[in-house]
Amino acid sequence: NAGVTQTPKFQVLKTGQSMTLQCAQDMNHEYMSWYRQDPGMGLRLIHYSVGAGITDQGEVPNGYNVSRSTTEDFPLRLLSAAPSQTSVYFCASSQHAPGGSISYEQYFGPGTRLTVT
Amino acid sequence: KNEVEQSPQNLTAQEGEFITINCSYSVGISALHWLQQHPGGGIVSLFMLSSGKKKHGRLIATINIQEKHSSLHITASHPRDSAVYICAVLPGTASKLTFGTGTRLQVTL
């Protein structure tokens, strides 16, 4: 199994450009999520999905869109990049969504380092 | 104040030392995760626990639910243990994890 894969590994954008960060998993996990990691802050949830066709917002969703047309893929779209979106982005998956007093082991992709100038 | 606080923020140890990293949280939780982030950036899950203690190789994780505190111990530390260690909790009524800011560990020869 490849686990969770992300592309690209690095990306530089100009302000106002759009792009899609790709995320795929081959573990048949229901739950997928996108986080951003900024210096001095913990990972923050951008968007998540509990299954194909179902997505929801996390704590920092503004400026990002997601879709989940298949179980395997969960792309993150930046609509109009801003310097505040300079960050490292991680995609993660787990067997099921956390909640109901149950958590699940999280599997993370290698990350995408995005710089917006 | 963050819901999840880790200490210390930075830690330098010599090879062979016993290391303890602490995680305190302010809310009731269902589960706590310990994660490791290597210098290359990848994040891997080390432990998930809701009570007691778990051991894997040289790593031991403990949790005291009443004290709202967890510790990650590394015995006989090695330079390859150099990484950022991240604590994350699932608050009892929540459906998302809350992450600490991490403890950066450097183990030198």
Side-chain angles (χ1 to χ4, degrees), chain A residues 26-46:
Chain A
D26 61 0
M27 296 173 282
N28 202 33
H29 284 172
E30 284 188 358
Y31 183 76
M32 296 185 74
S33 51
W34 277 103
Y35 294 93
R36 58 178 291 172
Q37 185 179 44
D38 300 294
M41 304 185 77
L43 290 160
R44 291 184 294 166
L45 184 64
I46 305 171

Side-chain angles (χ1 to χ4, degrees), chain B residues 55-70:
Chain B
K55 183 176 191 290
H56 185 252
R58 295 179 295 106
L59 302 178
I60 303 166
T62 65
I63 188 168
N64 184 321
I65 293 292
Q66 288 74 27
E67 297 289 323
K68 294 189 171 62
H69 182 268
S70 176

Side-chain angles (χ1 to χ4, degrees), chain B residues 20-53:
Chain B
T20 296
I21 298 169
N22 297 297
C23 175
S24 297
Y25 47 92
S26 57
V27 298
I29 67 167
S30 302
L32 183 143
H33 296 248
W34 280 104
L35 308 164
Q36 180 190 54
Q37 184 171 24
H38 270 282
I43 301 172
V44 296
S45 177
L46 297 175
F47 295 103
M48 186 178 66
L49 63 167
S50 55
S51 64
K53 175 177 166 177

Side-chain angles (χ1 to χ4, degrees), chain A residues 7-67:
Chain A
T7 56
K9 199 161 175 61
F10 301 95
Q11 183 71 50
V12 178
L13 291 178
K14 291 189 185 329
T15 296
Q17 286 184 317
S18 62
M19 80 158 295
T20 299
L21 307 186
Q22 301 291 346
C23 173
Q25 52 89 12
D26 61 0
M27 296 173 282
N28 202 33
H29 284 172
E30 284 188 358
Y31 183 76
M32 296 185 74
S33 51
W34 277 103
Y35 294 93
R36 58 178 291 172
Q37 185 179 44
D38 300 294
M41 304 185 77
L43 290 160
R44 291 184 294 166
L45 184 64
I46 305 171
H47 284 285
Y48 64 95
S49 168
V50 299
I54 306 169
T55 64
D56 208 344
Q57 297 181 346
E59 56 183 303
V60 288
N62 291 342
Y64 308 95
N65 269 359
V66 291
S67 60

Side-chain angles (χ1 to χ4, degrees), chain A residues 26-113:
Chain A
D26 61 0
M27 296 173 282
N28 202 33
H29 284 172
E30 284 188 358
Y31 183 76
M32 296 185 74
S33 51
W34 277 103
Y35 294 93
R36 58 178 291 172
Q37 185 179 44
D38 300 294
M41 304 185 77
L43 290 160
R44 291 184 294 166
L45 184 64
I46 305 171
H47 284 285
Y48 64 95
S49 168
V50 299
I54 306 169
T55 64
D56 208 344
Q57 297 181 346
E59 56 183 303
V60 288
N62 291 342
Y64 308 95
N65 269 359
V66 291
S67 60
R68 183 107 179 261
S69 55
T70 67
T71 300
E72 294 78 20
D73 299 297
F74 191 43
L76 177 73
R77 295 185 195 84
L78 279 71
L79 308 172
S80 177
S84 61
Q85 293 178 305
T86 293
S87 188
V88 182
Y89 291 84
F90 288 96
C91 178
S93 74
S94 61
Q95 186 177 6
H96 300 294
S101 302
I102 301 175
S103 197
Y104 297 89
E105 183 175 357
Q106 299 291 307
Y107 295 81
F108 287 84
T112 295
R113 186 173 293 274

